[in-house]
Amino acid sequence: MERSLISKKYQTITPTAMGGSGDIASSMPNLVNFSLGDPDVTTPEKIIDLAFADAKKGHTHYTSFYGDEELIDEIVRFQKEEYGLNISRENVFITTSACHGMWLALEGLLDEGDEVIIPDPYFTPYPSQVELCGGVPVFLPTYEEEEFQISLERLEERITEKTKAIIVNTPNNPTGACLSKERLEAIGALAKKHNFIVISDDIYTSFSYEEEFFPLNTLEDSFSHTVTLRSFSKNYAMTGWRLGYIIADASFIKVVKEINENNVFTAPSISQRAGIYAIRYRKEFQPELIETYKKRTFYAYERIKRLKNASMLEPKGTFYLFVNIKETGLSSEEVADRLVKEAQVLTIPGDAFGKCGEGYIRLAVTVDEKAIDEAFDRIEKMDIFGGKK
């Protein structure tokens, strides 16, 4: 097809480092893959069995346009039990993943030229998602020496009359940073003061290691200025089921429903049935799941501490390690390239997550301790890391 026939907004779109990692992984049989946030833990068997039993009973059709009503009821109960948040069915919409939820949220919020503030480093798709919905990304730098916290002063400097939203992701991918309750309250206050929306990308809520996670939309006067995205992928080991949901004001949920009727119509019914059982029986399997991820994360962190020319903050959340490699004297892409070629260890260069990510690499600790040891045994032999400290 002639390039001129392709939509102009897609003519310049380029693959992300995460998107390209799959090709590398398939070409190296001895590779230790730290690239994608898809842990090797399979969805708990009970969830699978109950979901497929429901499929055999006939749950293979469209659900309500808002989502399976039984799943929505489970979500309403979950929000009350876990966070003390009182919402109704009208505040919930089921999505085909949180990434889909982000697109729906941005599509429903943005007019052409509206600005969306994105803390940097950021989850790689954010800028393109904003641009494809007609918005303009405005980057807000965060720094390791400030524990990658959002600076309220720098945030307020970036607020203009065109500001429509800020994307807040805590615990954070890629840095693992967790925003304090006080910081979230202050961000919520700025949203109310300047009348913009906080898109709260709450994906790693079960993986806050120092303090218990609390959602922004539960804080005083924040609900009306918050669109919350949730996912089943990480908290329930359900990446392949592609299931998430949005919590927001009922008037916005209606807008999202109308948009989605022109997109995927409804999320897969069998995935929604799995979501019911994931929430309903979470206390049976989640503690072990969380402990597994946490143990692996800190195990890899201890191996990183033994390397020369590599350092990082102690993990606060998620299963991502954002490793400072500036002392190697090489760029993020150069280090990531050498890790693949010399050690067959696949990571994501930090510049894939924004300008503030340069000088770092991201490791997704999605493999067991044996594979972690194999990876770091190889890394320790590389001259840029100088062996062991």
Side-chain angles (χ1 to χ4, degrees), residues 307-311 324-330 359 384-385 389:
L307 298 175
K308 290 184 179 179
N309 297 326
S311 63
N324 186 324
I325 46 82
K326 294 176 183 178
E327 290 186 7
T328 65
L330 302 175
I384 58 172
F385 293 111
K389 287 183 180 177

Side-chain angles (χ1 to χ4, degrees), residues 161-381:
E161 60 182 13
K162 293 184 178 181
T163 301
K164 194 64 165 288
I166 180 174
I167 298 175
V168 173
N169 174 219
T170 180
N172 182 266
N173 174 13
T175 67
C178 296
L179 297 181
S180 66
K181 180 179 180 181
E182 292 73 24
R183 195 67 54 109
L184 285 172
E185 286 175 331
I187 294 169
L190 284 174
K192 186 175 181 181
K193 174 183 176 182
H194 296 281
N195 198 30
F196 62 84
I197 295 293
V198 179
I199 302 175
S200 191
D201 196 5
D202 293 354
I203 305 304
Y204 301 94
T205 58
S206 295
F207 306 102
S208 181
Y209 300 136
E210 286 194 344
E211 297 181 8
E212 188 174 350
F213 173 81
F214 46 83
L216 178 64
N217 62 3
T218 64
L219 301 179
E220 187 176 359
D221 296 330
S222 291
F223 191 87
S224 63
H225 283 77
T226 306
V227 173
T228 300
L229 309 180
R230 297 295 298 255
S231 170
F232 288 80
S233 289
K234 311 304 164 68
N235 287 355
Y236 304 101
M238 291 175 60
T239 55
W241 298 80
R242 311 314 297 137
L243 185 66
Y245 57 96
I246 297 173
I247 299 174
D249 185 85
S251 60
F252 186 69
I253 292 297
K254 288 180 180 178
V255 171
V256 166
K257 189 266 289 186
E258 297 298 331
I259 295 170
N260 196 56
E261 283 184 34
N262 300 289
N263 185 237
V264 300
F265 210 59
T266 69
S269 55
I270 190 170
S271 295
Q272 295 192 60
R273 300 307 296 178
I276 293 169
Y277 303 118
I279 295 176
R280 187 173 295 169
Y281 300 111
R282 65 188 184 279
K283 294 181 181 179
E284 293 183 15
F285 62 82
Q286 252 190 349
E288 181 180 356
L289 181 72
I290 295 165
E291 184 58 31
T292 295
Y293 291 169
K294 181 179 179 181
K295 182 179 178 182
R296 292 177 176 186
T297 300
F298 278 87
Y299 190 82
Y301 169 63
E302 291 299 323
R303 291 300 305 258
I304 289 167
K305 287 165 62 177
R306 291 164 51 178
L307 298 175
K308 290 184 179 179
N309 297 326
S311 63
M312 64 167 290
L313 300 172
E314 182 173 336
K316 297 293 194 298
T318 75
F319 43 77
Y320 300 110
L321 300 179
F322 208 53
V323 185
N324 186 324
I325 46 82
K326 294 176 183 178
E327 290 186 7
T328 65
L330 302 175
S331 71
S332 298
E333 291 192 8
E334 288 171 331
V335 170
D337 186 58
R338 288 189 62 174
L339 282 167
V340 170
K341 291 178 178 176
E342 297 177 30
Q344 293 196 32
V345 173
L346 184 59
T347 64
I348 301 292
D351 62 349
F353 305 98
K355 289 183 179 180
C356 291
E358 178 52 55
Y360 298 83
I361 56 171
R362 193 200 72 173
L363 280 66
V365 188
T366 55
V367 296
D368 61 21
E369 285 88 342
K370 182 179 179 181
I372 292 169
D373 276 334
E374 176 62 32
F376 282 97
D377 287 348
R378 298 177 194 173
I379 293 170
E380 285 177 351
K381 296 176 182 177

Side-chain angles (χ1 to χ4, degrees), residues 135-146:
V136 178
V138 175
F139 299 106
L140 171 64
T142 66
Y143 301 107
E144 182 179 1
E145 54 267 30
E146 298 173 355

